[in-house]
Amino acid sequence: MGGVVRAAEALAYADEVWDCYLADLAELVAVPSVVDTGDARDGAPWGRACREALDRALGIAERLGLATCDGDGYLGWTELPRAESDGRHVAAIAHVDVVPAGSGWDTDPFALARRQGYLLGRGVLDDKGAAVAMLYAAAFFARLGERRGVGLRCLLGASEEAGMQDVRWYRAHHEQPLFCFTPDAAFPVCCGEKGGVNACFACEVDADGAIVSLCGGTARNAVPDAAEAVLRADAAGLPTGAGVTVEAAGPGLARVRARGTGGHAAMPGGTVNAVGVLVDYLLGIGVGTSRERSFLELEQSLLSCTDGSGLGIDATDDLFDPLTCVGTVLSTDGGRFVQQLDIRFPKSTTAGAIGAALASAAARRGCTAEVTHARDPYFVDPKAPEVQVLLGAYAEVTEREARPFTIGGGTYAHHFDHAVSFGPLDPADEPPAWVGPEHGANEGVSEAALKRALAVYVLAFDRLLTLYERR
């Protein structure tokens, strides 16, 4: 469906503004904007770092000529007003918060690095690179100075990685857009998301046991790249192993450290869960009391695979990829060992069935299971005019075939009545091995792909505005 902007114009605009785009992205990447509700205060419900990132993003928007609004620090947004004032608008929503940096980086995670056509830094892919591209795409229309028949709003979230409470606040206080996309996945168009279950296994710490503490991971939706255990043992008498080191941790104590390869919990292929490495080591050396070994055996059932089959929850269907189940953050808390689980499931099962299976698996090992959050799968008709408009925008810029797909990740899209996720990752790009994934070390994205994404978003905004102007 045509609009008033051509692909050549959008690509030329992306080339023109690219140096400024990179400078603005560097400014945003420099902020370690991990949600910290312990640092919350008035106007900064997600902590001062997220507030700073939000302020910087809104500052970028203002420099680009966009009107901005602050939602009490929960999130912010920009406005491209329509000719009339009945409030009809389309929207896009990205986020400026990030997961913790973790370990294993070859560069400073909070300094934008350019290397052989790739950008490296925490958030360049998820989701600061896309957030800045979204703002520059909206600025294309601000620069034209023409008021369209439908408004355009760009939302900037600040707690997407910690439960999306930002968008929940927005939905409680503001009207729905006619249609919304979030640039927080991949191209061409994602029209469906798996359901999600967040849960935890827990076991009481044995006061006279061999294990003093267990810990690993930094984010509930990331595969851990590091884990450790403190044991009542002589470090000199413990063997090392693949991915495992041992050192003294004080009189009669040993610290066992395990290394893995991190990544996003929704896409665990190619990762190595450091908690699983640690658990296999501890069981292999025969450490622990009966209670401790029962917990470790439950952990092994969880961590030996990522399809949930070890816990009896594996599932697949014709619409989504198979279920994924990942053990993420491991901690010693309040006299208990606690293991968080991140589960993404297709429509062939339910959160209730998964919760029941987790409870049964835990009970067999003398442990407990608790479901802390659940959401149903989300799906938009791929034949919807809005989806077709986005597919067309992508195809026009890239000259590639465009077909919609579904994902295991959870984005802002499922919080709106009519929304999809749309880039910026392009599956046609094959990054070198030294480029890491979102939520992993050396998170990176192709510079050319981001520049194309900016052009795609210009066309997408134009086509969506045109679609609703004609209604």
Side-chain angles (χ1 to χ4, degrees), residues 61-117:
E62 289 173 354
R63 291 197 298 272
L64 291 172
L66 299 169
T68 62
C69 300
D70 176 13
D72 295 334
Y74 287 91
L75 79 174
W77 62 93
T78 71
E79 295 277 7
L80 194 67
R82 55 162 291 172
E84 292 84 26
S85 58
D86 65 1
R88 291 201 315 153
H89 67 282
V90 296
I93 178 169
H95 63 92
V96 297
D97 64 303
V98 295
V99 298
S103 56
W105 286 77
D106 298 322
T107 63
D108 181 347
F110 297 111
L112 182 67
R114 300 176 77 183
R115 178 182 175 189
Q116 298 178 31

Side-chain angles (χ1 to χ4, degrees), residues 172-323:
H173 292 82
H174 296 276
E175 71 279 11
Q176 286 261 359
L178 296 168
F179 181 78
C180 181
F181 72 77
T182 178
D184 193 15
F187 287 123
V189 176
C190 172
C191 60
E193 299 177 5
K194 288 179 181 175
V197 167
N198 295 333
C200 62
F201 287 143
C203 175
E204 291 185 11
V205 174
D206 195 331
D208 298 322
I211 304 176
V212 178
S213 65
L214 297 169
C215 69
T218 57
R220 64 164 185 80
N221 55 359
V223 178
D225 61 6
E228 70 172 55
V230 175
L231 308 177
R232 294 184 177 91
D234 178 8
L238 295 178
T240 58
V244 175
T245 60
V246 180
E247 63 185 33
L253 298 176
R255 177 173 284 105
V256 179
R257 300 183 190 272
R259 303 293 305 178
T261 303
H264 199 299
M267 298 164 284
T271 65
V272 177
N273 195 314
V275 176
V277 174
L278 178 66
V279 165
D280 288 346
Y281 172 85
L282 296 177
L283 285 172
I285 64 174
V287 74
T289 63
S290 175
R291 175 186 293 173
E292 290 170 336
R293 290 185 65 81
S294 288
F295 178 72
L296 294 175
E297 288 166 357
L298 176 62
E299 286 280 85
Q300 196 170 60
S301 297
L302 162 66
L303 301 162
S304 61
C305 55
T306 59
D307 66 356
S309 57
L311 300 172
I313 60 172
D314 48 312
T316 189
D317 61 32
D318 59 345
L319 184 60
F320 294 97
D321 287 338
L323 177 148

